Amino acid sequence: MSSDNSAGDPNGLAIVRDPTIYLVGKQVIAEGGMADFLRDHGLEWSPDTEIPAQLIAEAAGRVCYMSFGKGRGTNEDYLGNILASGHGSVLEHAVWNFIITGVSRTFTHELVRHRAGFGYSQLSQRYVNESKAEFIEPDAIAEDPESHAIWVAAIEEAQGAYRQLAKRLRKRFAHIESRTQCRKLARQAARSVLPNATETKIFVTANARALRHFIELRASEHAEVEIRKAATAILKILSEDAPNIFGDYRLETLDDGTRVARTDHGKV
Ligand SMILES: Cc1cc2nc3c(=O)[nH]c(=O)nc-3n(C[C@H](O)[C@H](O)[C@H](O)COP(=O)(O)OP(=O)(O)OC[C@H]3O[C@@H](n4cnc5c(N)ncnc54)[C@H](O)[C@@H]3O)c2cc1C
């Protein structure tokens, strides 16, 4: 899990500055099935990695030429060659699941533009009461007291309007028998006044190839600071979890203190 840092605000507004990334799922090797496949085809294979993502990507690549057997190179060499040659389709077999919290609706709007190799499930503002929502304050605003004061006033006004509208609309739809439906009708209309900064939560599933592309676009100096923080945090998790797939990235700190990731093997 990457670290969180919810910043308190003397006004009582719940302000968050950094995303939290929870790695909640990853693959396991079905060892029986792998052994059956090798036996049925008269093959022996002794991979030198036990990391499922790395092993699965290598196995997928080896099926292409049925190039199993003793005396093969290391997994690091094999996947290094995949990265260098750009044969990235075998990386699509390695998959991770994350829950990302402490991020704004701005962030998720940018994130979900990544379609190939990604799956999403996001907190519903139609069902969930946002009366006590947290808000993501951009660093550039938080670092300047006057900008911060303007931002806090705008957020409080928007949240106040949401609460009033949700209350009024619940009364308007009170005749509807289903309380769930009544609340949904009220909240789906009231949410229209919530700002981009409203905190959200999103479950993300993605494969290694898609994640590499995401990191290259979003852990870049051209990307917005919030998504860049998330992309570098995800890279940190992945480079520890599967170094033979993500170990080629170098994290560099820019003059403004923000970080970017670079690689010599773009868009494999
Ligand atoms: C710095 C920055 C600024 C941006 N500014 C804007 C902006 O102002 N406005 C805006 O609308 N968007 C903007 N975007 C979003 C951008 O245009 C992409 O939508 C987003 O980065 C997702 O990347 P992708 O298109 O590579 O899609 P992914 O889903 O990540 O796809 C990965 C790759 O798969 C292939 N692929 C995916 N889908 C298709 C398809 N349907 N057909 C053919 N090939 C496909 C492509 O090769 C693609 O690169 C910005 C992105 C960045 C990083």
Side-chain angles (χ1 to χ4, degrees):
M1 189 189 93
S2 90
S3 65
D4 185 11
N5 75 338
S6 298
D9 183 89
N11 302 316
L13 196 63
I15 298 174
V16 180
R17 296 276 301 278
D18 285 311
T20 301
I21 317 282
Y22 302 89
L23 174 63
V24 296
K26 54 185 176 178
Q27 291 163 300
V28 295
I29 304 296
E31 289 183 10
M34 189 71 85
D36 288 350
F37 163 76
L38 293 167
R39 189 199 58 236
D40 290 351
H41 295 81
L43 300 168
E44 283 183 42
W45 184 43
S46 306
D48 72 340
T49 180
E50 291 182 356
I51 295 172
Q54 298 183 166
L55 196 147
I56 281 172
E58 181 179 347
R62 291 201 178 282
V63 165
C64 299
Y65 302 120
M66 289 299 276
S67 59
F68 296 87
K70 288 186 175 165
R72 301 285 171 183
T74 64
N75 177 268
E76 185 178 5
D77 290 345
Y78 189 88
L79 294 181
N81 188 44
I82 292 285
L83 297 179
S85 59
H87 290 166
S89 61
V90 299
L91 303 183
E92 293 171 15
H93 301 289
V95 173
W96 287 264
N97 314 101
F98 299 97
I99 299 174
I100 305 179
T101 68
V103 286
S104 68
R105 299 278 292 195
T106 304
F107 165 87
T108 52
H109 190 80
E110 293 183 344
L111 174 67
V112 301
R113 295 296 301 279
H114 293 274
R115 304 148 290 165
F118 275 87
Y120 303 104
S121 300
Q122 182 168 7
L123 177 141
S124 168
Q125 287 187 329
R126 299 177 74 201
Y127 281 90
V128 173
N129 180 8
E130 294 282 39
S131 294
K132 293 184 178 170
E134 297 178 324
F135 295 91
I136 313 303
E137 184 175 19
D139 292 345
I141 293 175
E143 286 157 5
D144 171 46
E146 279 186 36
S147 299
H148 173 74
I150 294 167
W151 184 86
V152 167
I155 297 289
E156 285 181 339
E157 187 166 350
Q159 193 170 38
Y162 172 87
R163 287 172 180 154
Q164 285 180 46
L165 284 168
K167 196 171 166 190
R168 284 178 68 88
L169 289 163
R170 271 204 310 279
K171 281 187 192 149
R172 180 170 170 199
F173 295 118
H175 61 281
I176 294 172
E177 198 175 329
S178 161
R179 288 186 64 201
T180 303
Q181 180 68 2
C182 168
R183 283 197 295 258
K184 188 174 86 176
L185 291 173
R187 288 171 186 167
Q188 72 183 15
R191 70 172 171 170
S192 60
V193 298
L194 288 173
N196 275 339
T198 308
E199 193 264 354
T200 186
K201 305 176 202 311
I202 190 163
F203 194 115
V204 182
T205 297
N207 70 56
R209 189 184 204 183
L211 284 161
R212 285 186 59 95
H213 179 64
F214 167 75
I215 288 162
E216 283 149 36
L217 289 186
R218 302 303 188 170
S220 136
E221 56 265 58
H222 305 297
E224 212 258 355
V225 172
E226 187 184 6
I227 198 165
R228 199 173 349 142
K229 283 182 185 176
T232 51
I234 289 170
L235 171 59
K236 185 167 181 297
I237 292 170
L238 291 172
S239 58
E240 286 166 9
D241 203 56
N244 294 350
I245 301 178
F246 294 96
D248 56 310
Y249 289 100
R250 304 177 300 279
L251 273 175
E252 295 174 11
T253 304
L254 302 180
D255 291 343
D256 64 3
T258 64
R259 292 194 303 168
V260 297
R262 302 193 201 284
T263 179
D264 298 328
H265 306 308
K267 205 169 188 187
V268 298

